[in-house]
Amino acid sequence: MEIKTVSIIGLGALGILYAHHLSKHMPKENLRIIADEERIKRYETEGIYCNGERCDFTYITPETPCDPADLILFTVKYDGLKEAVQSVKNHVGESTVMLSALNGITSEAVIGEVYGMDKVLYCVAQGMDAVKAGNQLTYENMGMLCFGDREPGAASGQVKRVAAFFNEVNVPHEIVPDMYRKLWSKFMLNVGVNQTVAVYQGHYGDIHREGPAREMMIAAMKEVMLLSEKEGIHLTEADINYWLDVLDTLSPEGKPSMAQDVDAKRHSEVELFAGTVLKLGKKHGITTPVNQELYEKIKSMEESY
């Protein structure tokens, strides 16, 4: 079944980026942004801007009856995921496919627990350098969505449907045969770069060059690599080097989402990153001192807001 309608929930950096792009490549009425009445009023009054252009979106409240979406894209923060899962219920039909662009390694299971894992594809967003300040989003690199089935093997019909749609609307993407491993790999990246740049209150440029920030980032990633062995994922130094190459393509003036949270004095996803690492370390009897240090520093910063 061809994908024609898309519903997006969450107008953070990724939500705006993909919603703005899709609005240029599909009929306006086929792209719906799910938000509560208060948010919709603010969006319509203040506007949402992407690279200086005001976005023209179709907004819909969670309570509004509507036809099911062919594709639902989750781009909320993790602490808003459970509410978002309930908010999309009117958009879920028999053939709906769901993608989560959230960080971490658990969002797919949260969505699947409510609607069934058969509707969920595993996904990570990578390579974008979007920066959101207020209602303004700017970016140079759109990055890509990497997605696939939970288990390794040939692509399912759902994966092929989504890929065909992304080809049609020019969304950069990659089908990954071993997607759960990729999810862990992206988690390893986020544990390193998101937290380190946040603690240094800097930009990607700080981890592009040799020095304490880059060393801390890599050390944090290596702790995830060790834990992955215990979890049967088996990440390696090659995975770290892959992400270092990806990071080198990003604008030195850009910054990851957690650093943007610190700038805006918002509470971050530290529990999703270092918090998860610390729990897994305790589970497997592995010390994770770098993530312990990152956790404590970020928590201390948040307590000062």
Side-chain angles (χ1 to χ4, degrees):
M1 181 179 175
E2 191 176 357
I3 290 176
K4 291 292 186 182
T5 57
V6 178
S7 294
I8 296 176
I9 186 161
L11 278 187
L14 284 181
I16 295 173
L17 188 157
Y18 284 108
H20 179 258
H21 177 85
L22 289 173
S23 72
K24 303 291 186 181
H25 293 85
M26 58 189 299
K28 181 181 177 181
E29 64 273 13
N30 287 2
L31 174 65
R32 303 171 296 202
I33 309 300
I34 306 169
D36 59 41
E37 289 185 2
E38 182 181 346
R39 284 191 176 93
I40 291 174
K41 184 177 180 179
R42 185 171 73 249
Y43 296 155
E44 292 179 336
T45 302
E46 301 176 1
I48 297 289
Y49 294 85
C50 185
N51 284 342
E53 179 182 0
R54 182 165 178 147
C55 300
D56 184 19
F57 297 147
T58 297
Y59 297 107
I60 184 171
T61 66
E63 298 80 19
T64 303
C66 62
D67 292 330
D70 298 319
L71 174 66
I72 298 176
L73 182 60
F74 289 86
T75 50
V76 296
K77 289 285 189 180
Y78 187 77
D79 60 3
L81 178 59
K82 289 187 177 180
E83 180 182 353
V85 169
Q86 297 302 320
S87 295
V88 305
K89 61 183 178 181
N90 285 343
H91 298 250
V92 181
E94 185 177 344
S95 60
T96 300
V97 181
M98 302 182 184
L99 289 181
S100 166
L102 275 71
N103 292 319
I105 54 178
T106 58
S107 63
E108 284 82 1
V110 173
I111 299 167
E113 185 178 354
V114 177
Y115 297 112
M117 290 305 298
D118 59 310
K119 292 187 177 300
V120 182
L121 295 179
Y122 281 73
C123 176
V124 299
Q126 69 178 57
M128 56 285 300
D129 55 7
V131 175
K132 183 175 180 284
N135 62 344
Q136 304 272 347
L137 179 81
T138 57
Y139 72 92
E140 293 181 19
N141 298 301
M142 186 176 178
M144 69 167 68
L145 290 175
C146 301
F147 65 98
D149 300 301
R150 167 68 169 81
E151 300 298 331
S156 66
Q158 287 180 320
V159 169
K160 293 176 181 177
R161 280 178 65 205
V162 174
F165 172 70
F166 284 164
N167 283 328
E168 182 181 346
V169 296
N170 296 325
V171 169
H173 64 281
E174 177 185 348
I175 297 175
V176 180
D178 192 353
M179 193 57 222
Y180 192 59
R181 186 180 189 280
K182 180 76 171 184
L183 202 72
W184 259 83
S185 181
K186 176 68 185 299
F187 172 65
M188 177 175 71
L189 167 73
N190 283 328
V191 163
V193 69
N194 259 285
Q195 299 187 125
T196 300
V197 178
V199 163
Y200 277 84
Q201 295 183 270
H203 300 81
Y204 286 124
D206 296 305
I207 51 89
H208 283 167
R209 55 181 174 269
E210 296 297 330
R214 187 177 176 90
E215 290 171 6
M216 172 173 270
M217 176 186 71
I218 293 173
M221 294 170 73
K222 286 184 176 180
E223 289 182 352
V224 176
M225 184 181 74
L226 290 175
L227 290 170
S228 77
E229 283 292 317
K230 298 295 185 180
E231 291 286 313
I233 308 299
H234 308 299
L235 298 175
T236 68
E237 295 274 358
D239 295 291
I240 294 178
N241 291 332
Y242 168 83
W243 287 118
L244 294 179
D245 289 341
V246 171
L247 289 172
D248 286 343
T249 69
L250 302 182
S251 168
E253 299 304 315
K255 56 179 64 180
S257 59
M258 186 177 282
Q260 295 178 49
D261 289 336
V262 169
D263 287 348
K265 298 190 183 306
R266 294 188 297 259
H267 286 278
S268 71
E269 295 181 309
V270 66
E271 293 292 347
L272 193 59
F273 298 146
T276 300
V277 171
L278 297 180
K279 289 175 184 175
L280 288 171
K282 184 176 181 180
K283 172 185 173 182
H284 295 293
I286 294 176
T287 58
T288 53
V290 179
N291 274 280
Q292 183 70 50
E293 180 182 355
L294 287 165
Y295 184 86
E296 291 171 358
K297 286 184 174 180
I298 294 168
K299 281 292 189 180
S300 176
M301 292 164 75
E302 291 181 352
E303 288 168 3
S304 71
Y305 294 163

